């Protein structure tokens, strides 16, 4: 009864099957919350990664803008050097033509027309004929060509750098798109979990990691309490089963004791009947002995103090002695049976108290 009362107190009127279902529901809720906490952490990591991606995009965009500005400057410089090279080449050709007419300079006369161009003025008639200027032009042309090649190489490097930056920016844009898509999926799943579980958000945010962690902690506490209760119920059931087994064993022992008591009572009654019968026989024997003794004494009265012939008195005395001895033995036996009866009654009393 104590074991049953303990089990009823633990159950508190609830069906154990319903408690088991609640336990399974809490386990599923705990699993979903743990997964949601992990997904929320993953979402935060994706948000951090997205910020880094956007920072990288901004850096690449600035580098690309700087590279484009540098490319525009290099293009302008390349164009200038190209124009300079073109102009110097024209100037060089002119100087070379002038230098090739060196033999005609000696034939020019002041005031007379030139046989080649017809001019009467001859500014190139004196001096070295532009030989020193030709050397200067050649040096300047070489420097301009070197500058032009350097500008072309720098411009090509700038274009390759722009291609790399564009490729990197495109890759970061794709990463941003993929990360944003993954964040959206996680957010949708977390929102569905929080709505299904009825979790309140922090400051209107249903995806708060603090609310998810709090809900997971509370669910784990409820699960531990219910688990301890179910374990106590199972233990109480085992105790009740052991108590019922002990009760059944006690009932069997009681039945065996009752059977033994019945057997003992039957034996006592049988012995009491034997004692009663023996006492009756003893009583009858005593009465018969007294009757016989009275008869013998009446038969001896005619002889007075004399002894009858043929030893009649001795025979009678011997016969009476034997009968008295037999009656005394029977009486002792009856007394012994009486003691056995008293012992049996005492054993019966002890057995009844034990029952």
């Amino acid at each position: 009864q104590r074991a049953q009362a303990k089990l009823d107190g633990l159950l508190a009127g609830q069906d154990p099957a319903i408690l088991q279902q609640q336990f399974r529901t809490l386990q599923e809720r705990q699993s979903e919350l743990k997964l949601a906490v992990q997904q929320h952490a993953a979402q935060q990591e994706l948000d951090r990664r997205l910020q880094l991606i956007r920072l990288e995009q901004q850096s690449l965009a600035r580098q690309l803008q700087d590279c484009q500005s540098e490319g525009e400057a290099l293009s302008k410089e390349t164009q200038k050097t190209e124009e300079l090279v073109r102009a110097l080449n024209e100037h060089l050709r002119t100087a070379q033509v002038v230098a090739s007419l060196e033999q005609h300079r000696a034939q020019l006369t002041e005031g007379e027309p030139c046989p080649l161009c017809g001019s009467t003025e001859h500014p190139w008639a004196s001096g070295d004929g532009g030989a020193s200027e030709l050397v200067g032009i050649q040096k300047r042309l070489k420097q301009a060509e070197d500058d032009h090649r350097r500008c072309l190489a720098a411009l090509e490097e700038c274009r390759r750098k722009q291609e790399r930056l564009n490729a990197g920016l495109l890759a970061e844009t794709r990463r941003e798109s993929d990360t944003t898509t993954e964040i959206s999926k996680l957010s949708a799943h977390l929102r569905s979990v929080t709505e299904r579980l009825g979790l309140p958000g922090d400051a209107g945010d249903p995806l708060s990691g603090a609310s998810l962690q709090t809900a997971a902690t509370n669910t784990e506490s409820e699960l531990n309490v219910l688990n301890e209760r179910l374990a106590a119920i199972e233990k109480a059931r085992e105790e009740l089963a052991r108590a019922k087994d002990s009760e059944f064993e006690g009932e069997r022992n009681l039945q065996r004791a009752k059977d033994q008591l019945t057997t003992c009572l039957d034996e006592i009654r049988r012995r009491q009947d034997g004692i009663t019968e023996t006492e009756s026989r003893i009583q009858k024997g005593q009465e018969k002995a007294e009757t016989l003794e009275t008869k013998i004494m009446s038969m001896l009265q005619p002889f007075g103090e004399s002894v009858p012939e043929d030893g009649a008195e001795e025979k009678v005395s011997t016969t009476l002695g034997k009968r008295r001895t037999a009656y005394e033995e029977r009486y002792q036996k009856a007394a012994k049976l009486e003691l056995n009866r008293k012992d049996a009654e005492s054993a019966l009393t002890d057995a009844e108290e034990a029952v």
Side-chain angles (χ1 to χ4, degrees), residues 10 37 92 99 116 130 168 235 244 269 272 282 291 300 304 316:
L10 289 171
V37 169
L92 179 62
L116 297 178
K235 184 178 180 181
K244 287 183 177 180
R269 291 190 188 96
Q272 284 179 343
I282 291 172
T291 302
L300 292 175
V316 171

Side-chain angles (χ1 to χ4, degrees), residues 205-219:
D205 182 13
L207 304 180
S208 171
S211 63
L212 289 173
Q213 188 62 45
T214 301
T217 302
N218 294 336
T219 302

Side-chain angles (χ1 to χ4, degrees), residues 159-211:
R159 287 175 181 174
R160 286 196 295 267
K161 185 177 180 180
Q162 286 182 9
E163 290 177 357
R164 290 194 300 269
L165 290 173
N166 283 323
L169 189 59
L170 180 61
E172 293 299 324
T173 303
R174 290 175 179 173
R175 286 180 60 193
E176 180 188 18
S177 176
D178 295 340
T179 305
T180 303
T181 302
E182 193 171 353
I183 291 174
S184 299
K185 290 180 180 179
L186 286 175
S187 298
H189 182 265
L190 287 173
R191 188 172 289 105
S192 65
V193 169
T194 53
E195 291 176 357
R196 183 171 63 256
L197 298 179
L199 299 177
D202 291 345
D205 182 13
L207 304 180
S208 171
S211 63

Side-chain angles (χ1 to χ4, degrees), residues 54-72:
R54 287 173 177 172
L55 290 175
E56 183 67 18
Q57 282 180 330
Q58 294 174 2
S59 175
L60 290 174
R62 287 194 298 268
Q63 293 180 28
L64 182 60
Q65 185 177 2
D66 294 341
C67 188
Q68 288 174 347
S69 299
E70 184 181 358
E72 291 175 357

Side-chain angles (χ1 to χ4, degrees), residues 52-177:
L52 293 178
I53 290 173
R54 287 173 177 172
L55 290 175
E56 183 67 18
Q57 282 180 330
Q58 294 174 2
S59 175
L60 290 174
R62 287 194 298 268
Q63 293 180 28
L64 182 60
Q65 185 177 2
D66 294 341
C67 188
Q68 288 174 347
S69 299
E70 184 181 358
E72 291 175 357
L74 287 172
S75 295
K76 291 179 181 179
E77 187 176 358
T78 302
Q79 186 176 0
K80 289 181 180 180
T81 56
E82 184 178 2
E83 292 175 356
L84 180 60
V85 169
R86 187 182 303 112
L88 288 174
N89 279 325
E90 290 293 332
H91 196 183
L92 179 62
R93 282 194 295 271
T94 302
Q96 287 175 346
V97 170
V98 171
S100 66
L101 298 176
E102 180 65 24
Q103 59 181 351
H104 297 286
R105 280 195 316 119
Q107 300 175 2
L108 293 175
T109 302
E110 186 67 27
E112 294 181 0
C114 177
L116 297 178
C117 63
S119 175
T120 58
E121 295 179 359
H122 312 295
W124 296 95
S126 61
D128 57 359
S132 58
E133 184 179 1
L134 179 62
V135 174
I137 292 173
Q138 289 176 343
K139 289 181 179 180
R140 290 172 57 195
L141 179 60
K142 184 177 182 304
Q143 182 65 36
E145 287 177 345
D146 292 340
D147 292 341
H148 183 61
R149 284 192 296 271
R150 178 182 56 78
C151 289
L152 287 176
L155 183 60
E156 183 63 24
E157 179 62 26
C158 185
R159 287 175 181 174
R160 286 196 295 267
K161 185 177 180 180
Q162 286 182 9
E163 290 177 357
R164 290 194 300 269
L165 290 173
N166 283 323
L169 189 59
L170 180 61
E172 293 299 324
T173 303
R174 290 175 179 173
R175 286 180 60 193
E176 180 188 18
S177 176

Side-chain angles (χ1 to χ4, degrees), residues 202-329:
D202 291 345
D205 182 13
L207 304 180
S208 171
S211 63
L212 289 173
Q213 188 62 45
T214 301
T217 302
N218 294 336
T219 302
E220 185 175 2
S221 299
E222 294 177 7
L223 191 62
N224 291 333
V225 171
L226 186 56
N227 188 29
E228 291 176 357
R229 184 180 178 186
L230 289 174
I233 289 173
E234 185 63 25
K235 184 178 180 181
R237 281 180 170 177
E238 294 176 355
E239 291 178 356
L240 179 59
R242 288 194 297 269
K244 287 183 177 180
D245 292 339
S246 178
E247 180 185 14
F248 180 70
E249 182 66 23
E251 289 177 352
R252 289 193 303 176
N253 293 335
L254 179 61
Q255 186 61 41
R256 286 196 296 268
K258 287 181 178 180
D259 294 340
Q260 292 175 0
L261 178 59
T262 301
T263 303
C264 184
L265 290 174
D266 292 340
E267 180 65 19
I268 290 172
R269 291 190 188 96
R270 187 181 63 78
R271 292 186 179 186
Q272 284 179 343
D273 294 340
I275 291 170
T276 302
E277 183 181 357
T278 303
E279 288 178 347
S280 176
R281 290 173 61 187
I282 291 172
Q283 184 66 30
K284 289 179 181 180
Q286 288 177 349
E287 291 175 357
K288 188 176 180 180
E290 290 175 357
T291 302
L292 183 58
E293 186 176 0
T294 302
K295 185 177 180 180
I296 293 171
M297 294 302 295
S298 64
M299 290 174 63
L300 292 175
Q301 284 179 0
F303 299 100
E305 297 296 330
S306 60
V307 179
E309 295 179 356
D310 301 327
E313 183 178 0
E314 183 178 357
K315 292 180 179 180
V316 171
S317 179
T318 301
T319 301
L320 289 175
K322 290 181 178 180
R323 289 187 177 184
R324 284 176 179 172
T325 301
Y327 292 150
E328 288 176 356
E329 290 177 354

